[in-house]
Amino acid sequence: GRVAVIVPAAGKGERLGPGAPKALRELGGFPLLVHAVRTLVTARSVDLVVVAAPPSAEGVAEVQRLLADLPGDTRVVAGGDTRQESVSLALATLPEDCDVVLVHDAARALTPVDVVEAVVAAVRDGAGAVIPVLPVADTVKAVDGDLVTATVDRSTLRAVQTPQGFTRDVLTKAHAAADPTLPATDDAGLVEALGLPVRTVPGHAEAFKITTPFDLVLAEAVLRRRR
Ligand code: CTP
Ligand code: MG
């Protein structure tokens, strides 16, 4: 079967500050979404990319216009009010013959193609759910207000990235069981809630999520070094 990638891109980007939806903000002259999708259509293992666009008529039209300039099989659906809903809406539109589904944040615009390939390979190798992870560099503490209650054992923690990869069956079951009123921040969380295993593969520093204005500065530096 084929490999589809769902790209949730419907968020507002409130933490980035006022302006266009985050996926449409520019980095080095191109919207974040274009950077992300360009890498995905370059990946040898990826057959189809479905973007969940900002749900307004203008949002959908703008994403259609941007994708028309890219090679590969790309499609657009209107996203939802939460990331989880955006993924669910895109998942419902996938062609029958897609049996592996990745979910990749538009906001992780500079993710190297090798991470995409490693996630697909792990699903093909038999994992129902796969996430790229990195060790946590900082010491992490639990707090109650401004008082520390515990130091968490950092060696057992991982920071989680995308793309996350799934058999279509596992992702469909996970979203069918999800509670839309308590949305999850990642798709693997929904799989864990079903008690199903989630496998990790090494992530990459450049797959970081562009969330704050500082992250855009960092992304510009990464891009300059690549060019
Ligand atoms: N996303 C989405 N639909 C939503 C909310 C988020 O498709 N209703 C997408 C975003 O476009 C982004 C990814 O999910 O690519 C990760 O979300 P996040 O980094 O939180 O982006 P935003 O929600 O846009 O940012 P913020 O939370 O700062 O508003
Ligand atoms: Mg958000």
Side-chain angles (χ1 to χ4, degrees):
R2 294 195 297 161
V3 175
V5 186
I6 292 169
V7 179
K12 295 190 173 73
E14 279 166 347
R15 288 169 289 178
L16 208 49
K22 180 160 71 180
L24 303 177
R25 304 266 197 116
E26 289 200 354
L27 165 66
F30 295 96
L32 296 184
L33 176 68
V34 169
H35 288 280
V37 174
R38 207 192 267 139
T39 300
L40 292 170
V41 296
T42 302
R44 297 178 63 94
S45 64
V46 170
D47 298 300
L48 169 67
V49 175
V50 181
V51 176
S56 66
E58 312 85 79
V60 172
E62 176 66 4
V63 169
Q64 263 158 355
R65 196 182 63 75
L66 292 171
L67 296 181
D69 293 337
L70 294 174
D73 188 352
T74 60
R75 303 174 189 192
V76 184
V77 300
D81 287 340
T82 64
R83 183 187 183 283
Q84 182 176 303
E85 193 186 345
S86 294
V87 173
S88 275
L89 289 165
L91 184 57
T93 71
L94 291 187
E96 287 279 326
D97 66 340
C98 296
D99 62 352
V100 174
V101 184
L102 270 54
V103 183
H104 184 46
D105 293 328
R108 297 183 189 272
L110 299 181
T111 303
V113 72
D114 291 2
V115 179
V116 179
E117 298 294 7
V119 168
V120 174
V123 178
R124 291 286 190 213
D125 185 50
V130 178
I131 61 175
V133 300
L134 287 179
V136 177
D138 291 314
T139 295
V140 179
K141 294 189 192 288
V143 296
D144 182 2
D146 65 358
L147 284 179
V148 170
T149 55
T151 299
V152 186
D153 177 8
R154 187 176 68 191
S155 68
T156 68
L157 299 179
R158 299 292 181 271
V160 177
Q161 303 181 324
T162 74
Q164 300 188 349
F166 309 88
T167 61
R168 184 191 186 132
D169 186 51
V170 163
L171 187 62
T172 302
K173 282 187 179 131
H175 273 268
D179 180 349
T181 65
L182 291 170
T185 54
D186 81 337
D187 299 278
L190 301 176
V191 174
E192 292 156 46
L194 291 183
L196 296 174
V198 177
R199 191 193 292 183
T200 66
V201 296
H204 194 289
E206 294 180 11
F208 71 100
K209 186 159 69 74
I210 297 169
T211 305
T212 64
F214 173 76
D215 296 329
L216 264 185
V217 174
L218 184 60
E220 273 156 17
V222 170
L223 204 57
R224 266 199 307 278
R225 196 186 52 184
R226 282 188 193 173
R227 286 169 173 171

